[in-house]
Amino acid sequence: MHLKKSTLKPNETIQINGSKSISNRLLILDKLFGNLLIENLSDSEDTFVMQKALESNAETIDIYHAGTAMRFLTSYFAIQEGKTVILTGSERMKQRPIQPLVDALRDLGAEIDYLENQGFPPLKIVGRKLEKSAVTIPANISSQFISSLMLIGGKLENGLEINLAGEITSRPYLEMTLKIMRNAGISNSWEGNLIKIFPNIRTEKNSHLMKFVVESDWSSASYFYALSAIGREAVTLKTFRQYSLQGDSILKEIYWKCFGVDTISEAIENKISLLPDHFFHFPEKISLNMNDCPDLAQTVCVTATALRIPFEITGLQTLKLKETDRLLALKNELFKIGCICEITENSISSTKFFKPNDHISIKTYDDHRMAMSFAPFCLIEELIIENEGVVKKSYPEFWRDLQKILD
């Protein structure tokens, strides 16, 4: 994708698709309990893969690059009594660890075997009734492992108690899962490090059809926040609620505090307007702990580099286990746009800015967020985004929407 050096059109409106995080959770719950009517479902590849897998009767289920599907489906298939499934994915998926989730499910009585490398997909899952109702799992792992267990908890005869051992990572994603489940009629509680999911026995009285309109995706909104921050023009986004289930809605606070982009919510029309303050005094340095919202880190780093604001971002330990090692990928590609960085196991910080060379070409590493987070830099310099098709994983219409607001 060749992006010429552009300017941002003022006051354009973009309709972003439904959140894939919410969509994928609802699809699992609907398959387990069967009483949800879901509207504005995400059109992402990840959600399509999840739908296809849930509807399949095949013995082998290939989820390609979809990490959420791998984690949620591992628990889902573990409780499908009498059904045997091989759950596999792309070569990168086979390098992404899943042992903490498998260990927890085995502790509950699940029958799961590794077919290639210990601790990694592909998995052979023999569905069975899980008799136990309590499990302990590390709290500092991917929230999707824990959400995967929560989603099946209401289907277990005695519910499920999940003890989170240690410091909790990505708390907002866990809170989102619990809220979605409560909205779907599945009672739960969270006190301290103990999450309780209560058994949910569907009767004629409580199995009435419930309608869900999936709100748009806040992580997808981040790229337009970056455009507004760099281009200093207003952008309107639909369909967003003032009070969101999604932890990534912290974006509003981050972009106001760091880049002077205010968010005005219009509740009646379910839209938000991004309004840059033209008199904003940029901070001398951005220091953020993004433990609760690591998926926003790439966009924040690119925005800060475009505006030449030094940054230090911590709490990023999970980024090394994503579609690629995002910390290393960020370091490599930020250099191309004029930022020298240092990285550790859980942080990235700028050390020097310089004028980038001509002919910038951004490698995407099969990672949708690398493509979309670097795209707003076209407001500063012409650039090429390699393998631009990776955006289909979460936001297939991204390039169309981007071109709509660029001059």
Side-chain angles (χ1 to χ4, degrees), residues 143-304:
S143 63
Q144 290 182 4
F145 291 161
I146 303 166
S147 287
S148 177
L149 295 170
M150 290 194 289
L151 289 168
I152 66 166
K155 200 69 174 176
L156 304 186
E157 185 175 353
N158 297 307
L160 183 61
E161 293 187 1
I162 305 170
N163 181 52
L164 305 178
E167 182 182 356
I168 297 169
T169 299
S170 300
R171 177 182 289 270
Y173 292 99
L174 301 181
E175 292 174 341
M176 177 176 70
T177 303
L178 291 173
K179 288 176 184 175
I180 291 170
M181 293 175 69
R182 284 196 292 272
N183 290 342
I186 302 162
S187 299
N188 57 67
S189 66
W190 186 359
E191 295 182 11
N193 277 43
L194 183 65
I195 294 173
K196 293 183 180 181
I197 312 296
F198 299 100
N200 191 274
I201 308 302
R202 288 294 197 230
T203 65
E204 186 175 342
K205 185 176 179 180
N206 71 2
S207 61
H208 61 279
L209 194 66
M210 288 183 277
K211 178 180 173 181
F212 282 82
V213 179
V214 179
E215 64 174 313
S216 294
D217 188 66
W218 274 98
S219 55
S220 294
S222 72
Y223 315 119
F224 296 94
Y225 273 83
L227 287 159
S228 183
I230 299 167
R232 311 314 288 178
E233 294 286 358
V235 178
T236 298
L237 303 177
K238 300 168 68 175
T239 305
F240 288 91
R241 298 171 189 158
Q242 185 174 5
Y243 303 104
S244 173
L245 292 172
Q246 301 171 60
D248 283 349
S249 63
I250 191 69
L251 189 62
K252 294 181 289 186
E253 284 75 19
I254 292 173
Y255 268 75
W256 171 245
K257 173 185 172 184
C258 299
F259 307 115
V261 176
D262 198 6
T263 304
I264 305 299
S265 297
E266 298 179 44
I268 294 176
E269 297 186 46
N270 279 336
K271 67 182 182 181
I272 55 174
S273 295
L274 319 183
L275 303 176
D277 180 354
H278 294 282
F279 301 100
F280 182 75
H281 293 287
F282 292 102
E284 292 185 5
K285 182 178 181 180
I286 294 170
S287 296
L288 293 171
N289 183 326
M290 301 187 75
N291 181 66
D292 286 345
C293 52
D295 283 345
L296 303 179
Q298 290 148 290
T299 314
V300 170
C301 288
V302 173
T303 308

Side-chain angles (χ1 to χ4, degrees), residues 15-227:
Q15 169 75 55
I16 293 180
N17 66 355
S19 161
K20 71 183 181 73
S21 295
I22 295 175
S23 294
N24 289 345
R25 284 161 171 80
L26 288 172
L27 286 171
I28 290 286
L29 292 174
D30 183 49
K31 195 68 175 179
L32 288 172
F33 300 105
N35 66 326
L36 306 183
L37 176 63
I38 308 170
E39 296 183 2
N40 196 36
L41 195 70
S42 169
D43 63 357
S44 67
E45 184 179 57
D46 275 17
T47 297
F48 173 76
V49 166
M50 177 73 85
Q51 285 180 290
K52 185 178 177 182
L54 289 170
E55 294 166 0
S56 176
N57 291 316
E59 292 184 4
T60 298
I61 304 291
D62 189 343
I63 53 79
Y64 307 101
H65 304 297
T68 308
M70 174 60 72
R71 290 148 183 177
F72 288 2
L73 290 171
T74 296
S75 296
Y76 171 80
F77 285 124
I79 64 170
Q80 301 306 303
E81 295 179 52
K83 183 178 178 67
T84 299
V85 167
I86 293 173
L87 193 57
T88 189
S90 66
E91 287 305 309
R92 174 58 183 168
M93 186 57 60
K94 293 179 182 181
Q95 298 167 10
R96 298 177 69 176
I98 199 167
Q99 185 163 346
L101 176 58
V102 171
D103 286 350
L105 287 166
R106 283 175 169 175
D107 286 346
L108 290 169
E111 185 176 340
I112 305 174
D113 293 308
Y114 300 110
L115 295 183
E116 293 181 12
N117 297 316
Q118 184 75 14
F120 299 86
L123 307 173
K124 181 181 179 182
I125 305 170
V126 179
R128 59 195 301 182
K129 183 178 182 179
L130 303 188
E131 302 287 352
K132 296 182 181 178
S133 60
V135 69
T136 297
I137 191 167
N140 63 348
I141 55 172
S142 168
S143 63
Q144 290 182 4
F145 291 161
I146 303 166
S147 287
S148 177
L149 295 170
M150 290 194 289
L151 289 168
I152 66 166
K155 200 69 174 176
L156 304 186
E157 185 175 353
N158 297 307
L160 183 61
E161 293 187 1
I162 305 170
N163 181 52
L164 305 178
E167 182 182 356
I168 297 169
T169 299
S170 300
R171 177 182 289 270
Y173 292 99
L174 301 181
E175 292 174 341
M176 177 176 70
T177 303
L178 291 173
K179 288 176 184 175
I180 291 170
M181 293 175 69
R182 284 196 292 272
N183 290 342
I186 302 162
S187 299
N188 57 67
S189 66
W190 186 359
E191 295 182 11
N193 277 43
L194 183 65
I195 294 173
K196 293 183 180 181
I197 312 296
F198 299 100
N200 191 274
I201 308 302
R202 288 294 197 230
T203 65
E204 186 175 342
K205 185 176 179 180
N206 71 2
S207 61
H208 61 279
L209 194 66
M210 288 183 277
K211 178 180 173 181
F212 282 82
V213 179
V214 179
E215 64 174 313
S216 294
D217 188 66
W218 274 98
S219 55
S220 294
S222 72
Y223 315 119
F224 296 94
Y225 273 83
L227 287 159

